[in-house]
Amino acid sequence: MSLSRAKSRKRQRLYLASLAVLAAAGAAALGLTAFRDSVVFFFSPTELAEQSPMSPDRRLRIGGLVEEGSLQKLADGKTVTFTVTDMQHDVQVAYTGILPDLFREGQGVVAEGHMNPKGQFVASEVLAKHDENYMPREVADALKKSGHWEEIEAQNAKNMRN
Amino acid sequence: MSNFFEMGGYAGYVWSSYGLATIALVVLLMVSLRGLKKSRRDLAHLETLLKSRRPRRKKAQPDAQS
Amino acid sequence: MHRFAKPSVFLKLASAIMPWAIGITVVTLAVGLYLALVASPADYQQGDTVRIMYIHVPAAWMGLFCYVGMAICGAMSLIWKHPLADIAARATAPIGATFTALCLITGSLWGEPMWGTWWVWDARLTSMLILLFLYLGYMALVNAFDDSERGSKAGSALALVGVINVPIVKFSVDWWNTLHQPASVARMGGPSIDPSMLWPLFLIAIGFTGYYVIVLIVRVRLELNERRIRALQLGGVGQSVADQHHLAVPAKQAGAGE
């Protein structure tokens, strides 16, 4: 085989490989755009409000921030209710079971369950969603004191809306 | 010191993470080193064998580009 | 370029790098682990479980980094038929797979106490699981053929196409809503991790990279030896000797692809 022939074959393979990657990237991009709307991990309270009334048979996940001061324990001692908010709409959630350690008022949460006819969300599973900030307690306290905490909370709320 | 081992009540999660990471990385290293040792032994064995059979034969060069 | 990638040149370079790689790995991992487990503070929300991050995040980075390396080597082997690139890709796969598996397992161990679940099928976790399957698929494919060159071709093609998954892993947390939080380090506006927690993270990441270099060199040397054995069996005294002495490599494979 002559040298130039070998070279042109190498070039051909280079083109073919680039083409394959481009084609795969295109296919992935198309698939992902389709995915983006149809496969969501959770709905925000606003999205839920747009879709209501929701069939009680439909299982879904909702996500948002647990509203400050909304957590209540019911008389049976096992059921809790709280409000999930995205700062525009609220959803009432009732849940019987153990809450994750990170479950806090003002923090993100994702609940799986269904809407009951009263418009309350009955959760069978509650997961905590935390933000991307990591810091020692002293730094968090200092931020709260200096008034920079609101920026973090605003970011947090924005993340949950997505 | 007991604080260090308790990890604020999350000892099981934290220590098993570090333990599994250590085990996985050490095992991969060991398997790779053992494979290298074995390949060296086999190669040396084969080379002495070839030398004794055909002393004048040039060593094959598999590393060379085709 | 081919001159630098000759195995003899590689072996010389590798011998020079090895002591440095070992030194850097030992020192950064020792200091990194001390900071991670002892000297760094607990998180204000997550307490001591934040220490899992110092393994989880570097392992995730390595899983992605190794995959990109493997795909580049796969492309070089596919296009320029470079034997050393093929060997490097094959040597990288088990290391990347190990880091990816570690990322998934430590993530699980972190998710259970903090999120309240070992696993969810959100975009980040699912795309990371696909990364592990790509590694496993590559390793299965390159060894699936008697003719090792055909195996390399198939494996490299898979590695190359699978590279699409790398940006998907990275941006999954921005493109979809996920249970997994957005990026903390490589993000607009700088890291959202306190410096006291960034140090152990970076040191262990450097240590893992050093570990990768060490194991990569060991595995490339191993593979070079095995190819040489195969070639000697084929070109040397031939099949009878190989059979007689039960050498590791079956005669059928001997010299394949040379």
Side-chain angles (χ1 to χ4, degrees), chain A residues 5 9-10 15 18 23 25 28-30 51 68-69 81 106-107 109 116 126 144 161:
Chain A
R5 192 124 138 251
R9 280 194 58 188
K10 273 180 191 173
Y15 290 149
S18 320
L30 281 176
Q51 293 188 32
E68 298 275 1
T81 62
Q107 285 277 315
V109 74
N116 73 6
V126 171
K144 278 174 192 161
R161 269 203 295 279

Side-chain angles (χ1 to χ4, degrees), chain A residues 13-14 21 25 28 32 36 41-42 100-102 104 107 127-130 132-136 139 149 162, chain C residues 41-46 50 78-79 81 113-115 160 164 176-182 184 192-194:
Chain A
R13 284 201 295 268
L14 174 63
V21 171
L32 294 183
R36 210 187 141 106
F41 189 67
F42 59 82
D101 292 3
L102 212 60
R104 292 201 189 140
Q107 285 277 315
L127 306 175
K129 178 178 159 77
H130 60 82
E132 69 272 39
N133 299 298
Y134 300 88
M135 62 190 91
V139 175
W149 198 250
N162 217 352
Chain C
D43 183 67
Y44 77 114
Q45 288 284 1
Q46 307 196 38
V50 76
L78 206 59
I79 297 162
K81 301 266 169 195
M114 288 297 104
W115 294 348
L160 212 53
I164 313 291
W176 293 281
N177 57 20
T178 51
L179 187 62
H180 195 286
Q181 72 285 0
S184 293
S192 60
I193 300 179
D194 191 76

Side-chain angles (χ1 to χ4, degrees), chain C residues 27 31-32 35 43 48 52 85-86 94 104 118 145-147 153 175 178 182 194 197 199 210-211 214 224 234 252 255:
Chain C
V27 171
V31 179
L35 291 181
D43 183 67
D48 284 301
I52 297 173
D86 177 39
L104 289 168
W118 299 99
F145 297 86
D146 288 337
D147 177 352
K153 269 187 194 164
W175 290 342
T178 51
D194 191 76
M197 298 167 164
W199 274 108
Y211 172 90
I214 294 168
L224 281 172
L234 192 80
K252 208 167 41 168

Side-chain angles (χ1 to χ4, degrees), chain A residues 22 24 52 73 94-95 104 109 130 137 148:
Chain A
L22 274 177
S52 62
K73 215 168 202 163
Y95 172 65
R104 292 201 189 140
V109 74
H130 60 82
R137 182 174 298 281
H148 286 297

Side-chain angles (χ1 to χ4, degrees), chain C:
Chain C
M1 195 175 68
H2 280 210
R3 210 157 51 90
F4 288 104
K6 245 168 56 185
S8 57
V9 179
F10 167 84
L11 288 174
K12 230 183 239 165
L13 201 67
S15 303
I17 291 173
M18 197 54 140
W20 291 95
I22 293 173
I24 290 171
T25 306
V26 170
V27 171
T28 50
L29 282 185
V31 179
L33 282 175
Y34 170 74
L35 291 181
L37 288 168
V38 183
S40 68
D43 183 67
Y44 77 114
Q45 288 284 1
Q46 307 196 38
D48 284 301
T49 58
V50 76
R51 301 185 198 283
I52 297 173
M53 173 173 73
Y54 307 128
I55 300 292
H56 175 75
V57 173
W61 287 344
M62 291 309 295
L64 293 169
F65 169 75
C66 288
Y67 194 91
V68 173
M70 186 178 93
I72 291 174
C73 288
M76 282 166 66
S77 132
L78 206 59
I79 297 162
W80 292 289
K81 301 266 169 195
H82 215 294
L84 198 61
D86 177 39
I87 291 172
R90 284 168 184 249
T92 299
I95 314 174
T98 303
F99 278 120
T100 306
L102 267 181
C103 169
L104 289 168
I105 293 167
T106 53
S108 223
L109 285 165
W110 194 4
E112 167 61 18
M114 288 297 104
W115 294 348
T117 181
W118 299 99
W119 181 264
V120 288
W121 292 100
D122 82 350
R124 170 56 72 79
L125 277 65
T126 307
S127 58
M128 204 62 192
L129 187 64
I130 291 173
L131 187 72
L132 180 64
F133 288 155
L134 283 170
Y135 276 120
L136 298 180
Y138 173 86
M139 288 193 280
L141 213 47
V142 290
N143 293 314
F145 297 86
D146 288 337
D147 177 352
S148 88
E149 200 185 357
R150 283 181 65 195
S152 298
K153 269 187 194 164
S156 301
L158 175 72
L160 212 53
V161 170
V163 112
I164 313 291
N165 188 46
V166 171
I168 295 178
V169 171
K170 166 77 184 124
F171 295 109
S172 54
V173 286
D174 303 322
W175 290 342
W176 293 281
N177 57 20
T178 51
L179 187 62
H180 195 286
Q181 72 285 0
S184 293
V185 180
R187 71 197 271 274
M188 304 271 282
S192 60
I193 300 179
D194 191 76
S196 60
M197 298 167 164
L198 268 180
W199 274 108
L201 194 63
F202 283 141
L203 283 173
I204 290 181
I206 295 169
F208 278 3
T209 313
Y211 172 90
Y212 165 67
V213 172
I214 294 168
V215 180
L216 178 73
I217 289 174
V218 169
R219 297 194 74 92
V220 168
R221 279 179 177 159
L222 188 167
E223 182 79 15
L224 281 172
N225 282 347
E226 283 194 340
R227 286 191 187 201
R228 185 160 184 161
I229 289 170
R230 268 181 255 160
L232 282 179
Q233 282 173 337
L234 192 80
V237 278
Q239 209 158 322
S240 61
V241 174
D243 287 349
Q244 222 176 327
H245 293 272
H246 306 291
L247 281 159
V249 186
K252 208 167 41 168
Q253 277 184 17
E258 300 297 328

Side-chain angles (χ1 to χ4, degrees), chain A:
Chain A
M1 187 162 55
S2 75
L3 206 67
S4 64
R5 192 124 138 251
K7 240 182 187 164
S8 80
R9 280 194 58 188
K10 273 180 191 173
R11 190 167 301 155
Q12 201 179 355
R13 284 201 295 268
L14 174 63
Y15 290 149
L16 274 175
S18 320
L19 205 68
V21 171
L22 274 177
L30 281 176
L32 294 183
T33 6
F35 243 30
R36 210 187 141 106
D37 296 327
S38 60
V39 181
V40 285
F41 189 67
F42 59 82
F43 294 101
S44 69
T46 304
E47 285 164 330
L48 206 64
E50 285 161 3
Q51 293 188 32
S52 62
M54 192 70 86
S55 148
D57 305 327
R58 193 171 156 205
R59 289 191 63 79
L60 65 141
R61 294 196 193 90
I62 60 158
L65 295 178
V66 181
E67 198 169 335
E68 298 275 1
S70 71
L71 184 65
Q72 279 179 332
K73 215 168 202 163
L74 296 193
D76 67 355
K78 283 179 290 188
T79 306
V80 291
T81 62
F82 53 89
T83 308
V84 170
T85 178
D86 61 0
M87 307 297 169
Q88 290 161 22
H89 288 83
D90 296 344
V91 178
Q92 275 286 323
V93 178
Y95 172 65
T96 310
I98 301 161
L99 291 166
D101 292 3
L102 212 60
F103 180 91
R104 292 201 189 140
E105 293 183 341
Q107 285 277 315
V109 74
V110 174
E112 191 178 343
H114 59 88
M115 295 299 285
N116 73 6
K118 287 184 287 183
Q120 196 181 36
F121 189 82
V122 181
S124 55
E125 190 179 31
V126 171
L127 306 175
K129 178 178 159 77
H130 60 82
D131 60 23
E132 69 272 39
N133 299 298
Y134 300 88
M135 62 190 91
R137 182 174 298 281
E138 307 86 69
V139 175
D141 290 344
L143 276 176
K144 278 174 192 161
K145 238 179 238 166
S146 67
H148 286 297
W149 198 250
E150 282 75 27
E151 294 163 25
I152 287 178
E153 286 196 321
Q155 183 62 42
N156 213 347
K158 213 183 111 217
N159 284 343
M160 293 305 300
R161 269 203 295 279
N162 217 352

